[in-house]
Amino acid sequence: MTALLTERNGTAPRSTAPGSPPSARRRRPGRERAFDDVPRWQIYLPLGLYLLFTLVPFYWMLLFAVRPAGSTSLVPWPMTGAHFSKVWNERSFAVFFQNSMIVGVATLVATTLVALAGGYALARFDFRIKGAFMLALLCSQFIPGALMLVPLFEIFRNLQMINSLGSVVIAETVFQLPLSIILISGFIKNVPVSLEEAAWVDGCSRFTAFRTVVLPLVRPGLIAVGSFAFVHSWNHFLFALMFLSEQDKQTIPVGLNTLIGADSVDLGALAAGGVIAAVPVVVVFAFIQKWLITGFSAGAVKG
């Protein structure tokens, strides 16, 4: 009967797979629009607004840094470098920059090396308290650094490390390690163990197999972890403020704080100092963005 009605109406019967869901059987062509059919303005408009919201503060900072004192123009012309010269020479920003660079590079190296060793141990070895250790690493991220200032200060005072850049490097490394170890462990888990076993069969020791097989494959993850350790130590204010008392040992965040007076603020000098503080971070991310994206993509899935 159905075939007769179909033949009279001149339409072919619609067949539905037995296992297909009801929504698939009721779906009509053109019901859902593909991503390519979305008008471009619906994509570019939100992105443009977000970009504008992000760049306006940077433009405002750059405007105050290169605009002459007393000017109210929204266009930085004529430009001046007096503010940069003032903070670099008169406000000791050359010394602050050097100290911040020492702290940042030392924290990067220490965090990367220790996180690499700890991440490899968590990824390749099984031990009794492994789950508890991972839980402790995760829970440590909920502890704010301000709560640890007093015990850290007492430890560094007993070790005679107060007013030393080494105290800031150790504190920054300790607070960067838990998350860094977890991230590196995820990257190493994505490397098949069979690659190391093949190197062992060829006569390589565990360290040689790690250096020649695993290390090149987790390089994007190391760059991602190291870059975040550098940026965090470069921008961190609290540890440098508490552990460094002499001016020739202070870092850029503390130096920026000295530009804010009790009664007045030199906006031009403060903006110039902000530009000096932002340049290394921008340069670092400009050079490592390819490795950073690759590292996050590699660590996003479990091998």
Side-chain angles (χ1 to χ4, degrees), residues 231-297:
V231 172
H232 185 272
S233 61
W234 180 273
N235 294 327
H236 204 192
F237 170 77
L238 194 58
F239 290 154
L241 178 66
M242 294 300 299
F243 302 147
L244 305 175
S245 56
E246 296 182 3
Q247 184 176 0
D248 59 346
K249 296 295 182 64
Q250 292 174 348
T251 57
I252 279 186
V254 182
L256 288 174
N257 186 60
T258 61
L259 299 177
I260 303 176
D263 301 325
S264 62
V265 179
D266 190 348
L267 293 179
L270 185 62
V275 172
I276 294 174
V279 166
V281 178
V282 173
V283 171
V284 166
F285 277 100
F287 278 99
I288 68 170
Q289 59 177 346
K290 180 182 68 174
W291 295 99
L292 195 63
I293 296 173
T294 305
F296 283 139
S297 301

Side-chain angles (χ1 to χ4, degrees), residues 61-82:
M61 179 177 64
L62 186 62
L63 177 65
F64 275 93
V66 300
R67 191 173 64 179
S71 175
T72 58
S73 175
L74 296 179
V75 179
W77 189 262
M79 294 187 295
T80 179

Side-chain angles (χ1 to χ4, degrees), residues 105-126:
V105 173
T107 303
L108 183 154
V109 174
T111 302
T112 304
L113 291 178
V114 179
L116 184 61
Y120 183 83
L122 289 177
R124 290 292 190 257
F125 298 102
D126 291 326

Side-chain angles (χ1 to χ4, degrees), residues 1-15:
M1 184 67 180
T2 305
L4 181 60
L5 292 176
T6 303
E7 185 178 2
R8 288 180 179 179
N9 294 334
T11 58
R14 291 183 298 177
S15 59

